[in-house]
Amino acid sequence: DADVTQTPRNRITKTGKRIMLECSQTKGHDRMYWYRQDPGLGLRLIYYSFDVKDINKGEISDGYSVSRQAQAKFSLSLESAIPNQTALYFCATSPGQGAFNEQFFGPGTRLTVL
Amino acid sequence: QQPVQSPQAVILREGEDAVINCSSSKALYSVHWYRQKHGEAPVFLMILLKGGEQKGHDKISASFNEKKQQSSLYLTASQLSYSGTYFCGTENTGNQFYFGTGTSLTVIP
């Protein structure tokens, strides 16, 4: 079984809809991250969490919110989706040594906003 | 803030060597390297810490010049399996982390 899972894997939605992307991990890591990937722009950090009570904004947090429901679960929400949020979204986890240690990525969620 | 990678793309024949560079305008605490194959998630290769030594991973190694805020990834005797997009990630001394835009590497027979 995969250590880091993301649901859904693909989603098509309409402008203005609220959507939630979910991430679960069985690696026992404290640290979790949400990235978006766009062609030519690489991976950009949206939010990260170093433990259940810690949430930090990344490079491009506007238009997104997150919830860390438990050590193993970290959800990303788009309150009112817009077309330029169409992207591939990755969740990642890392062990607790060092601010940004080796990260383990989930399989990704491909989101299309029409 | 985002580190700059060069080259943007490179094509190699099997057995040839390649170097991918990563440069930041900020003072760095660490540099990370990842490889992403088409349609897959990025996979960690190695991390280089400030004051640390050069790392190796099979025939892939890297260096970190702290004074110049630069890192280089060295791929020796490339194999077909090395094809993919390579990303550096930089953690600066302000506790911020950014990935570069990637270098596409294609190894042909």
Side-chain angles (χ1 to χ4, degrees):
Chain A
D1 288 339
D3 295 319
V4 184
T5 57
Q6 293 182 233
T7 55
R9 294 293 311 279
N10 289 281
R11 181 72 182 268
I12 300 173
T13 192
K14 294 183 178 180
T15 297
K17 295 290 187 181
R18 184 180 189 275
I19 184 167
M20 179 181 287
L21 309 183
E22 298 187 343
C23 177
S24 295
Q25 54 117 345
T26 59
K27 299 186 78 66
H29 291 164
D30 286 327
R31 299 169 182 210
M32 299 186 74
Y33 312 82
W34 276 105
Y35 292 92
R36 65 176 281 175
Q37 185 172 34
D38 300 274
L41 295 178
L43 293 145
R44 292 181 292 167
L45 185 60
I46 306 173
Y47 272 96
Y48 60 101
S49 169
F50 282 171
D51 65 42
V52 175
K53 297 181 181 178
D54 176 76
I55 300 289
N56 303 281
K57 291 184 178 181
E59 182 185 357
I60 53 161
S61 59
D62 287 349
Y64 301 94
S65 63
V66 291
S67 172
R68 184 81 184 266
Q69 301 95 324
Q71 186 204 37
K73 296 185 181 295
F74 192 35
S75 300
L76 177 72
S77 293
L78 288 69
E79 297 300 326
S80 180
I82 56 177
N84 77 359
Q85 291 177 315
T86 293
L88 181 58
Y89 289 84
F90 284 104
C91 172
T93 74
S94 71
Q97 297 173 353
F100 291 92
N101 207 342
E102 172 183 357
Q103 295 179 46
F104 296 84
F105 284 79
T109 294
R110 187 165 296 281
L111 176 66
T112 303
V113 184
L114 301 175
Chain B
Q1 303 275 26
Q2 191 173 31
V4 176
Q5 288 186 233
S6 63
Q8 289 186 317
V10 59
I11 300 175
L12 301 172
R13 292 198 177 277
E14 268 187 296
E16 292 182 338
D17 301 340
V19 180
I20 299 172
N21 300 303
C22 175
S23 179
S24 174
S25 61
K26 297 283 188 180
L28 299 178
Y29 174 74
S30 68
V31 178
H32 307 216
W33 285 98
Y34 288 79
R35 176 172 62 206
Q36 183 179 28
K37 292 183 179 286
H38 183 69
E40 299 181 7
V43 174
F44 175 81
L45 293 175
M46 65 190 73
I47 182 172
L48 299 103
L49 300 176
K50 184 178 179 180
E53 59 190 42
Q54 183 170 344
K55 296 285 189 178
H57 178 272
D58 196 10
K59 292 182 179 178
I60 301 174
S61 61
S63 62
F64 178 21
N65 186 324
E66 299 159 27
K67 290 184 178 179
K68 294 185 177 181
Q69 292 117 236
Q70 294 175 346
S71 177
S72 295
L73 186 72
Y74 306 94
L75 298 98
T76 305
S78 57
Q79 306 167 16
L80 295 176
S81 62
Y82 285 3
S83 291
T85 301
Y86 289 78
F87 293 98
C88 69
T90 57
E91 179 186 0
N92 61 37
T93 52
N95 207 33
Q96 297 169 313
F97 186 82
Y98 297 91
F99 275 106
T101 54
T103 296
S104 173
L105 186 140
T106 304
V107 181
I108 58 176

